[in-house]
Amino acid sequence: GTGMGMYFSTLSSMGVVLALAGLINIANILYYSSDEYDPGEGRDNFFLLNMLQFSAICTDREWVLCHDCDENVRFWNSIFTNSNYGTAIDDETGEKVVLIHRTTCLPAQFAQGMWNYGTLFLLVLSASAFIWYLSKLEVRYDEQNSSPSDYTVMVKNPPKDALDPDEWRDFFDKFSEKQVTLITIALDNQSLLVKLVQRRRLLKQLRALIPEDTDVDDEEAVENALDEARKRRLEEQSCFGKILSYTFVPFLRLFGCALSEKTIWKRIQSTTEEIKKLQQMEYYAAAVFVTFETEQGQRTALEGLNASKIEISRNKPMSIDASALFRGVVLDAVEAPEPNAVRWCDLNYTDFQMKLRELLTFSITIGLVALSAFLLNKARTGVSTILYSVVLSTFNFIIPLVVRALVAYERHFDEGATQASLYIKITFFRWVNTAIITTWITPFLAVLGEKNIDMINTVNALILSEMFLSPLLRYFDLFSFLDRHYFAPRAKTQEEMFGCFSGGWYNLAERFTDFTKVLLLCMFYSAFYPLIYFLGALILFIQYWMDKFLLLRSWQKAPLINPNTARFSRTYFTTAALVLGAFSSAYAYARSPYTNLCECSEENPCNETNSRSFGNVQLLNGQSLDAVRASEQEYFFCNQRDIDFPPIPINQGSVQWMTQSQETLSRIYGWTSLILLIVYVAVVLGQSLIRSTFSFWKGMYKPRGTDQRKDFSSGVGLESFAYIPQIDAPGFYLPFLACSIDDIDVKLIDWKNPNRKGEEDLHRSYDDQNLIFDVPFDGMKRSRDEDITVSRQIPPEARLRPVFSILKHYPPDWANK
């Protein structure tokens, strides 16, 4: 769909922007690799083509005397920095002195900071052009690919008893340029549909245990097959299998796994009885889909029904004409999503119910992120880096699964909204987990350290993981490999085998999440690691071609998703990454040189120590050094991390540690980051808030793009498909239909059943996948595989009480010919 097209356009556009940012930072890359910045010899020992020599890691250190560091020993008391703090006895005075192994690299320089500042401006301008370009591209994609949503209006609040499609057609005909072509009335029968899918799942389990040709509708035949299957299983069961059946299998059955044949059959019978009861209930209209013959018909209808939220909630017309009322009701009409993106079981929920569930799931997500941050902090600073890595990997694997489960609890009208919700939650987690937590739990004095556990090394490991590990895991896709090479040869039905070759699962939300995570890493750490822009561009390049290959060759077909996720990503998260990156760089330059030491001088006098050589220096990590030679310059403690917001020189506090060059740079960067924050809140968030506020008082519909002047019926079977209630159930190759299709052109269905290619009657070729035939009820026109010309007598009460959604086709006269 358009959403996937926008995803690849986003990757290519931002990849070019990051590459340009890398070119601007070549001066900084060369500076950090020079002896001018760091004359230490340790830079030559970096692994992976010496990439880290182009970062702000400082390997040149010297021992210095610190006069009040003993009162602030906590800043060095961690596994990161405890080898850089030592105590010794001055032989001349007999007093205890504190020695600090500090980095000697130059603090932030104006020239290098301005190169980074220029990059920020490039990214801000590029992001503005990027947002404008992609918004235009989105319209162009939509115009180039006509789809049913361009012709269809979705009514979210129909009168409950408005179940006559002819009445809906007559009402909307007043807006149509030519005519109304299709009416779909979706009922609030989700409880029935859930039970029917549950019964199908149980039948699938049963068919795997009994002979393939057993008629599951014949109870006697099933009972005989169950007895034979049980006897065969007991005869073939090994000694080890018997042990498992009395030990491990009962535990699995508590979770609905490894059920016996008899248990599954009893559940099928029980579910069938529940379905029969549900079929006796009365169902009402949950939503109505009206498909016009022309795009102009849809646009005219949406303009005529463009009511405010207050008008809809109070059912009191203020700005719309009285002729736009249906049975005196102000309709909540919107452009419909794509047919295969509609979540048919969620249509009866109100906007308030949906938002309430989203609020609950987002609150749980915040709690999980907070728990992750707490445990990662304890593991990294209190135990070991090995435990930190284990905890980080565990949360990276578990939390996205938990978030998917949370989103499954939510209710959305279409898959686009579902993907947007999933995107927000996973992006929030990954941003915090990869960028923000890494900075938060890394001790201040380990920012420029050369150890593997220090910050820049950790960021480099994250970048390399995104560059190589993530695409390789997507490529090899263990579950799809097992499906194709292990489960497919053992499949007992054709449908089961088709399911094994359906391809790997993916969703657009996670793909956009990976993109925004890379963008944030590049922005957040560019001041320390300017090479990260080139690495980020390379990651997006790999991601682009790997995902395109998998989409065309490996991944399964997904619903056509609207560009909501792409629009949300570029509007809110891409711009937020720029603002966060600006603040990160501003603080990075303001806190330099990350030593927490200030020179003793006439303005800041210290009680100088004459001795410079010390023996038996005791380090905080428990080790000792036989001899240490301290620098002539003495220092005192100054907390360089403790700078107020915004990070400008005046907010340093009582002790000034910045150089004159650094102060100028910090003043420029600090105020700029504050201005960007104000613009983001006022323009990005404010515009959304203003639009949401105005929607209470006026309708907000505006047509996008140009009318393509194509009739809906001219594209039937190619690009024009009907809004047919159907359910995509995990574990099944094809979706399940949930309404009668006998009165429509089957070309309006956007998929075919490969198991019944030779069926002369195309309508009956879909009977196996239609839930309405599973359990007979009073309103059935025919049974499964019966000729569609057969017309049963339906009781009058059954006609007035439909059980499944209603679909009616009104083809134009020329199409009938």
Side-chain angles (χ1 to χ4, degrees), residues 610-626:
N610 294 325
S611 300
R612 288 294 177 268
S613 298
F614 303 92
N616 193 26
V617 178
Q618 300 297 316
L619 304 180
L620 274 181
N621 62 2
Q623 298 179 358
S624 62
L625 300 177
D626 295 334

Side-chain angles (χ1 to χ4, degrees), residues 369 371-382 384 387-393 395 429 432-433 437 440-441:
V369 170
L371 176 64
S372 170
F374 174 77
L375 294 179
L376 285 170
N377 183 41
K378 290 294 184 183
R380 186 166 185 177
T381 59
S384 69
L387 181 61
Y388 166 77
S389 302
V390 172
V391 173
L392 179 61
S393 300
F395 273 107
F429 161 71
V432 173
N433 217 35
I437 288 182
W440 176 55
I441 66 178

Side-chain angles (χ1 to χ4, degrees), residues 612-646:
R612 288 294 177 268
S613 298
F614 303 92
N616 193 26
V617 178
Q618 300 297 316
L619 304 180
L620 274 181
N621 62 2
Q623 298 179 358
S624 62
L625 300 177
D626 295 334
V628 166
R629 175 70 183 177
S631 170
E632 294 297 327
Q633 178 64 52
E634 298 184 20
Y635 294 82
F636 65 95
F637 178 84
C638 58
N639 191 351
Q640 296 165 350
R641 186 170 191 168
D642 189 20
I643 184 169
D644 294 334
F645 175 84

